[in-house]
Amino acid sequence: MDVETFLSFNWFVMIPEFIILGFAAALSVIDLFLNRRKSRKWLGVCGLLGIVLAFISLLLLESNGTVILYDTFVFDSFAKSFKALLLIGTAVVFILVLNENWDGLDEKRGEFYYLFLTALLGAMFMASSRDLITLFIGLELLSLSTYILVGIRTKNKKANEASIKYFINGAIATAITLFGMSYLYGMTGTTSLDTMKLVLANVNEPDHLYILALSFLIMFIGLSFKIATVPFHMWAPDVYEGAQISVTAFLSVISKTAGFILILRLFLTVFDVIQVNPSETMLTALQSFLVVLSALTMIIGNTVALKQKNIKRMFAYSAIAHAGYILVAFSSFSNVFYFDTIWFYLFAYLLMNLGAFAVIQFVCGEARTDNISAFAGLIKRSPYAALAMTIFILSLAGIPGTVGFIAKISIFLSALTANTPQLLLAVVMIGTTIISYIYYFGILTQIYFREHETYHKIYISKSIFIVLFICIAGTLVFGIFPNTIYPLFYI
């Protein structure tokens, strides 16, 4: 690439990524030369400032489908709306990090902050990728950063176990995904999704279609590890339990969002143009596989959560169940509700899940235990935290008046309005949602009807209060006026 070609690219569409990269690099250099005894907390404030600046620059950019770097990077409405989700979620997680108890590990805070930024950068690149290579690089940048974040407490046995399990499962998932991608490259001779789409639109040989179907199944299995769907979910409970609460919150929201971004970009671009027969594409031909995966994920995620006493493990299985709900929207292929339904559900999940993790961090940090009994008598010890957790639980359960209800009803309607109505998925979704009431309301039982050993007042810190205010406001306002947030999807 010569200088003239390099300068001809419209680099302005990458300003949010450049800001995140610049802050991550600056924080890593500052942390390297900063005295070990100095507090690193202010580095987190700088990282949060970088995320805010990146978000502002994102809103100022026009999503006109600009393509640069030889069709490998695109800035369209899909990329803009999902990047907005990633930036908002990471900003909320950063506020949680600023409040986290480090137990003498303050010298590691610096790398903690810029690892979050590099993980965010990888996810943002995935949102704009139109090439297998850039998709894979973004995925690995996200994955490698989170592997380290999970195991950053090197003297904690649970963190060590979680990090090893996460790394091994992640490495296997990456290898499987890359193996599936190799079939696509072998069939088309290109890594560009747009060029690949043109080549595959003319494929009609039965042997070639078989290879492409195999590629679909292999890649989806690999990516199922990333979004923690059944039966590729077994790493999630141990990782959620062993990681810092802020890291667990990041994995449950940002990492899951990034996984669905990759699935939407890759599978809808490539496999929806391959004609298996005159009336259906390969994506619709393999719909039954997605339906079964979605149903199993909802059923197992919710039923296993019933037996959990550790609050982080319970939310791990809850996250698995919510991945199943999103798969309902993905596998329905509804013409009326699709991208906006998935985006809105991820946005709703961001608000209610990060809000719940903020309360978990506050309550479990005070009690020094992750057992659900830590919430006993919370209404007397901290009424505001109890009220906040109640709102988030009701939203996660899908009770009317909350953003969770609007998100679930949108997915339910997407299943019913599909070209082939997915009645089975709709029934399973209703049934598993009712099952989820048992363990969700079990937390409320602890808060309102169980006695605690002590009744000393516990007070919410400023950073936790900010997170709770943002998440409660979003949960209630967008639950009552959901149309006010949809324009962000079309910016």
Side-chain angles (χ1 to χ4, degrees):
M1 182 191 302
D2 55 31
V3 176
E4 185 177 352
T5 304
F6 180 83
L7 295 176
S8 67
F9 294 136
N10 183 9
W11 293 105
F12 285 103
V13 298
M14 293 185 70
I15 285 180
E17 283 82 0
F18 286 140
I19 292 174
I20 297 298
L21 176 62
F23 271 84
L27 292 182
S28 64
V29 172
I30 294 171
D31 180 56
L32 181 64
F33 292 101
L34 198 64
N35 191 306
R36 289 177 63 88
R37 296 180 181 178
K38 295 287 184 180
S39 173
R40 263 74 172 166
K41 194 170 184 178
W42 65 274
L43 294 179
V45 178
C46 293
L48 180 60
L49 175 63
I51 296 171
V52 172
L53 292 176
F55 183 74
I56 293 171
S57 68
L58 179 74
L59 295 181
L60 294 175
L61 290 173
E62 184 180 354
S63 54
N64 53 8
T66 302
V67 180
I68 62 173
L69 296 176
Y70 302 104
D71 295 336
T72 61
F73 188 96
V74 62
F75 188 74
D76 51 14
S77 59
F78 176 92
K80 188 173 185 179
S81 57
F82 278 97
K83 284 179 185 179
L85 276 187
L86 295 169
L87 287 166
I88 293 170
T90 308
V92 175
V93 170
F94 254 74
I95 300 173
L96 290 180
V97 175
L98 294 174
N99 185 73
E100 199 147 32
N101 181 15
W102 276 76
D103 294 327
L105 294 175
D106 194 61
E107 72 276 3
K108 292 191 176 182
R109 279 203 182 206
E111 59 193 82
F112 202 63
Y113 297 129
Y114 56 76
L115 282 170
F116 271 126
L117 292 180
T118 53
L120 171 64
L121 182 64
M124 292 174 68
F125 262 103
M126 289 162 63
S128 285
S129 292
R130 289 176 64 172
D131 190 277
L132 290 181
I133 294 175
T134 51
L135 275 173
F136 183 74
I137 290 173
L139 177 64
E140 285 306 284
L141 185 58
L142 169 66
S143 299
L144 292 173
S145 300
T146 51
Y147 296 156
I148 302 171
L149 285 170
V150 170
I152 200 166
R153 295 182 296 169
T154 53
K155 296 181 180 180
N156 185 289
K157 291 183 178 180
K158 286 188 176 181
N160 292 338
E161 179 187 354
S163 182
I164 292 172
K165 286 183 177 180
Y166 190 34
F167 174 75
I168 293 173
N169 279 280
I172 293 171
T174 298
I176 293 171
T177 305
L178 199 58
F179 183 56
M181 288 181 175
S182 69
Y183 279 116
L184 283 180
Y185 177 75
M187 287 290 298
T188 61
T190 181
T191 58
S192 170
L193 296 184
D194 282 348
T195 307
M196 197 176 289
K197 181 169 63 174
L198 296 175
V199 174
L200 295 178
N202 299 315
V203 172
N204 51 26
E205 291 289 333
D207 291 343
H208 293 170
L209 292 174
Y210 174 80
I211 293 174
L212 291 170
L214 190 61
S215 173
F216 177 99
L217 294 174
I218 291 173
M219 284 193 295
F220 206 92
I221 287 171
L223 294 174
S224 291
F225 280 95
K226 302 296 182 182
I227 59 175
T229 57
V230 173
F232 316 105
H233 66 290
M234 294 308 295
W235 60 270
D238 291 329
V239 172
Y240 277 46
E241 182 182 5
Q244 293 269 100
I245 290 179
S246 57
V247 177
T248 302
F250 186 88
L251 292 174
S252 69
V253 175
I254 308 303
S255 184
K256 190 178 296 293
T257 299
F260 277 103
I261 287 171
L262 197 157
I263 288 172
L264 290 170
R265 272 287 188 201
L266 182 57
F267 288 90
L268 293 180
T269 301
V270 175
F271 293 99
D272 201 33
V273 300
I274 303 172
Q275 292 294 137
V276 176
N277 56 56
S279 62
E280 63 178 355
T281 65
M282 181 163 289
L283 199 60
T284 54
L286 293 171
Q287 188 177 23
S288 57
F289 167 76
L290 300 174
V291 168
V292 171
L293 195 68
S294 176
L296 287 175
T297 302
M298 289 186 288
I299 293 169
I300 294 177
N302 281 303
T303 52
V304 179
L306 296 173
K307 301 175 66 175
Q308 304 305 314
K309 299 301 180 184
N310 184 292
I311 191 71
K312 291 166 74 175
R313 292 185 73 88
M314 180 185 292
F315 270 77
Y317 284 104
S318 170
I320 292 166
H322 283 277
Y325 299 146
I326 300 171
L327 277 181
V328 172
F330 177 74
S331 58
S332 66
F333 308 128
S334 172
N335 293 327
V336 181
F337 307 97
Y338 203 75
F339 284 113
D340 51 351
T341 299
I342 296 174
W343 183 88
F344 186 83
Y345 197 96
L346 288 168
F347 176 72
Y349 186 65
L350 181 156
L351 291 173
M352 53 196 183
N353 210 51
L354 290 184
F357 271 110
V359 180
I360 290 170
Q361 184 189 79
F362 165 64
V363 174
C364 294
E366 289 285 341
R368 297 286 179 175
T369 178
D370 293 336
N371 195 285
I372 193 174
S373 61
F375 288 85
L378 185 63
I379 186 62
K380 296 180 180 179
R381 295 183 291 139
S382 180
Y384 295 116
L387 176 62
M389 193 63 172
T390 301
I391 293 171
F392 299 134
I393 290 297
L394 293 177
S395 186
L396 285 164
I399 301 301
T402 63
V403 71
F405 171 75
I406 302 297
K408 284 190 177 180
I409 203 70
S410 297
I411 287 184
F412 181 75
L413 292 175
S414 72
L416 295 180
T417 57
N419 293 333
T420 304
Q422 300 298 316
L423 299 178
L424 175 62
L425 279 182
V427 171
V428 171
M429 185 176 178
I430 293 174
T432 53
T433 298
I434 294 172
I435 292 173
S436 71
Y437 292 168
I438 300 173
Y439 63 86
Y440 281 140
F441 293 167
I443 300 173
L444 299 185
T445 300
Q446 292 286 335
I447 292 173
Y448 293 100
F449 304 111
R450 294 291 182 268
E451 299 291 332
H452 196 265
E453 296 174 358
T454 62
Y455 280 104
H456 68 279
K457 294 285 185 179
I458 51 178
Y459 299 95
I460 301 174
S461 65
K462 291 181 180 178
S463 56
I464 293 293
F465 178 81
I466 293 171
V467 173
L468 294 182
F469 178 80
I470 293 170
C471 293
I472 289 173
T475 300
L476 296 179
V477 171
F478 300 129
I480 300 170
F481 306 104
N483 288 335
T484 57
I485 191 61
Y486 274 113
L488 186 60
F489 181 77
Y490 299 102
I491 52 179

